[in-house]
Amino acid sequence: MKYMATYDLMESIRVTNEWLGSTAKAACSHPAFGLSMNPLVQLTAAWGEVTERTFQRMESKPDWNINSVVGTDGRDHLVDVIKMVEKPFGDLIHFEVQGRSERPRKVLLVAPMSGHYATLLRSTVVSLLPDCEVYTTDWHNARDIPVSAGKFDVEDYVLYLVEFMKFLGPDTHVIAVCQPAPLTLAATAYLAEEDPEAQPNSLTLIGGPIDPGAAPTEVTDFGRTVTMGQLEQHVLQRVGFKYAGAGRMVYPGLQQLSSFIAMNSETHASAFFDQIVRTARGEAHEHDRHNRFYDEYLAVMDMTAEFYMSTVERIFKNREIAQDIFEVNGKRVHIGAITDVAVKTVEGGKDDISAPGQCVAALDLLTGLDDSKKASYIEPGAGHYGIFAGKSWRNNIRPLVLDFIDANMTHERRRIEFANIKSLHAR
C-alpha cells in the first residue's frame, strides 16, 4: 500500500538509532574501560545514553505522573485518572482526588491535537487541581486506531467536544489551549443552537488561531502558501504493519517532530550537546531540566490525515471560523448564537505560533453576547508555551482565569462552595 514503506522506514530509523545508542552506552560502560583516561570513552557512553533515551521517548506515550495533591486540610490526597467517556479517537478523563470534597469549579481542559499528547498540559492540570475538579480530553494516537473505526476530521472533533460538554453538564467552565480554541468556540455555538441548556458557564480561549489572518506568523504563512496537493503528496503516509492502525492515512508524529526541531535546530543541537557533556561528567540525572522537557517534547503522536488536512484547509486557508461560515454535518454553526456563555481570550505578547490578535478575534464574532460577558488579556513578554504552562501562567494568567470562572459560576456551584467552606470550618 502506498506510503506504508515510508512510514516503516521512519520507524526503522528510529529503532536503529535507539539500538546504536544503547550499544554505545553498554560497550563504553564496560568495566574494561574503567581505568581508561581517554575522555572519548566517557563521552561515547554519554552520547549513547542520551541517544537511547531520545529515540525511545518518541515511541511511547508519557504518563501523567500526577500522584497526589495537597488539600485545604493540609493532607496529601491521592489522584486517580478516571476515564469518564471512552471514544475511539479520544477519551474524557477526570483527575479524581481521593478523600476530598467536591470542588465548586468544574473545569474541562481541552488539550491540543497537534502532534503531542494531552500530557503536554500536565503542569496546567497540576496548577488547577487544588482549586478545581479537572477534566481533560485525552486524544489517542492515530496509529493505534484501526481503520474500521472510521474517519476523524475537524467536524468529528467538534462533535466529540459537544458530547463531552453535554456529559459534564451546564455548570462547566471550559478552557481550550491553542489548536482547539476555534473548534471549541464552534462546539459551544453548536450547543447554543442545538441544546442551549448544555452550554458551559464560561469559555476561556488561550493562544488559539481563531483568525489566523489577523496576525500572520511562520505557521500561518505555511498554511496559506502550501497547496493541499503538496501536503497530501509530501506529509501524509499510511501506518505500517507494526501498529493496530495499519493502513490508516496519517500525518506521522515523527515527521511532525522533524518539523518542530527544524524550526529551532541550533537551540536543540546545543541542548543535546550540553546534556551529553553533563552526562559524561556525572552531572545529569533522571529528572533534570533537560529530561523533563524533552521526555514530553519528543513524545509525538500521529494525527489522522483527514483531521490535519481539514484543519489546514478550513481553519487556516479558508478561515471558516473567522468568517463565521463553519459547518458541522452540513449545518452552519453561527458563533453569534452564543448569548449566555462568558468568553475570555488570553494571548502571549511574544507568541510566535498564535500571535496576539488571532485569539482575541473571537470576541468580534460573538455578536449576540453582551460586552459585560467578554474579556481579554495579553501577557507581556510571554511566549506560546508560557501562557498555559510556564511562569506567566502560574503567576498571572491562572489567577485571572480562576477569577473569571468565579464571576460566572452558577448559584448551584456557589452553594457547593459555601457548603464545603462550612464543612471545613466545622472540623
Side-chain angles (χ1 to χ4, degrees):
M1 297 170 68
K2 193 177 182 182
Y3 303 122
M4 264 191 170
T6 312
Y7 189 97
D8 284 339
L9 176 61
M10 286 198 309
E11 175 62 12
S12 298
I13 293 172
R14 186 198 67 79
V15 171
T16 300
N17 279 282
E18 182 183 347
W19 172 79
L20 287 173
S22 62
T23 301
K25 174 186 173 183
C28 292
S29 299
H30 194 279
F33 294 105
L35 296 178
S36 172
M37 301 298 292
N38 189 338
L40 287 178
V41 175
Q42 284 76 27
L43 280 172
T44 303
W47 172 86
E49 181 177 334
V50 173
T51 300
E52 179 188 19
R53 185 187 186 102
T54 297
F55 286 92
Q56 186 182 64
R57 290 301 183 269
M58 298 176 188
E59 163 69 12
S60 56
K61 177 183 179 180
D63 190 78
W64 282 99
N65 284 326
I66 302 175
N67 300 316
S68 64
V69 62
V70 178
T72 54
D73 54 5
R75 296 188 295 117
D76 277 347
H77 295 265
L78 297 179
V79 177
D80 294 326
V81 181
I82 308 296
K83 292 182 181 180
M84 306 303 294
V85 179
E86 296 186 54
K87 303 279 288 181
F89 293 91
D91 302 327
L92 174 66
I93 61 175
H94 178 213
F95 295 91
E96 186 176 282
V97 181
Q98 296 183 17
R100 186 184 75 172
S101 57
E102 183 183 0
R103 299 290 90 187
R105 304 182 184 99
K106 183 164 62 173
V107 171
L108 169 59
L109 188 62
V110 184
M113 182 186 280
S114 55
H116 288 100
Y117 291 93
T119 50
L120 186 69
L121 301 184
R122 181 189 293 108
S123 59
T124 316
V125 173
V126 169
S127 70
L128 291 172
L129 266 180
D131 304 296
C132 309
E133 293 294 331
V134 181
Y135 299 78
T136 190
T137 55
D138 191 22
W139 305 112
H140 298 165
N141 195 330
R143 74 183 184 199
D144 300 320
I145 306 171
V147 175
S148 59
K151 71 172 182 66
F152 186 81
D153 59 14
V154 289
E155 293 187 25
D156 297 305
Y157 191 109
V158 168
L159 293 175
Y160 266 50
L161 295 184
V162 166
E163 182 174 345
F164 293 159
M165 289 182 194
K166 284 184 176 181
F167 176 84
L168 291 175
D171 56 350
T172 305
H173 301 270
V174 180
I175 302 175
V177 177
C178 187
Q179 167 267 323
L183 300 182
T184 307
L185 182 65
T188 306
Y190 183 93
L191 280 174
E193 295 186 290
E194 298 294 324
D195 191 356
E197 296 300 320
Q199 294 178 91
N201 283 169
S202 72
L203 175 60
T204 301
L205 307 173
I206 300 179
I210 304 297
D211 183 2
T217 63
E218 186 176 339
V219 174
T220 59
D221 287 344
F222 171 80
R224 187 180 66 255
T225 57
V226 71
T227 68
M228 299 307 294
Q230 288 173 324
L231 287 179
E232 184 174 1
Q233 179 67 28
H234 297 296
V235 307
L236 300 186
Q237 299 171 18
R238 291 191 187 275
V239 177
F241 292 106
K242 180 179 177 180
Y243 300 103
R248 177 179 291 279
M249 191 73 84
V250 298
Y251 179 24
L254 291 178
Q255 189 161 339
Q256 297 173 63
L257 181 60
S258 65
S259 300
F260 297 155
I261 293 178
M263 291 176 65
N264 296 283
S265 57
E266 291 184 6
T267 302
H268 292 299
S270 177
F272 278 96
F273 177 78
D274 292 343
Q275 182 69 358
I276 291 170
V277 173
R278 284 193 295 268
T279 302
R281 291 174 176 173
E283 298 172 357
H285 54 84
E286 178 70 15
H287 299 294
D288 59 24
R289 185 176 180 180
H290 177 95
N291 286 335
R292 286 201 313 271
F293 175 78
Y294 280 103
D295 282 357
E296 189 67 54
Y297 185 81
L298 295 171
V300 287
M301 58 184 286
D302 298 351
M303 283 189 282
T304 64
E306 55 271 17
F307 177 79
Y308 175 69
M309 297 292 280
S310 58
T311 297
V312 173
E313 183 174 24
R314 301 182 63 178
I315 305 302
F316 286 91
K317 283 185 172 295
N318 299 341
R319 297 172 51 240
E320 292 184 17
I321 298 293
Q323 298 186 64
D324 201 13
I325 57 173
F326 187 75
E327 293 184 357
V328 175
N329 287 343
K331 176 179 171 54
R332 182 178 169 186
V333 177
H334 297 272
I335 306 299
I338 300 174
T339 58
D340 299 321
V341 182
V343 179
K344 183 183 184 72
T345 64
V346 177
E347 298 177 313
K350 292 186 177 180
D351 190 339
D352 58 352
I353 295 178
S354 186
Q358 291 189 21
C359 194
V360 73
L363 301 185
D364 291 333
L365 296 172
L366 296 163
T367 55
L369 189 65
D370 190 84
D371 287 343
S372 63
K373 284 185 170 290
K374 300 178 184 179
S376 63
Y377 175 72
I378 296 180
E379 175 68 9
H384 188 69
Y385 188 78
I387 57 177
F388 64 87
K391 181 172 64 175
S392 294
W393 162 260
R394 295 192 302 271
N395 296 340
N396 302 326
I397 299 172
R398 175 185 169 276
L400 291 176
V401 171
L402 292 182
D403 288 343
F404 183 70
I405 289 174
D406 290 343
N408 295 281
M409 191 179 296
T410 60
H411 295 299
E412 175 61 21
R413 301 306 293 184
R414 290 188 183 278
R415 184 191 65 75
I416 294 175
E417 179 180 18
F418 293 142
N420 289 340
I421 294 174
K422 184 177 180 181
S423 175
L424 182 62
H425 288 323
R427 296 175 190 173

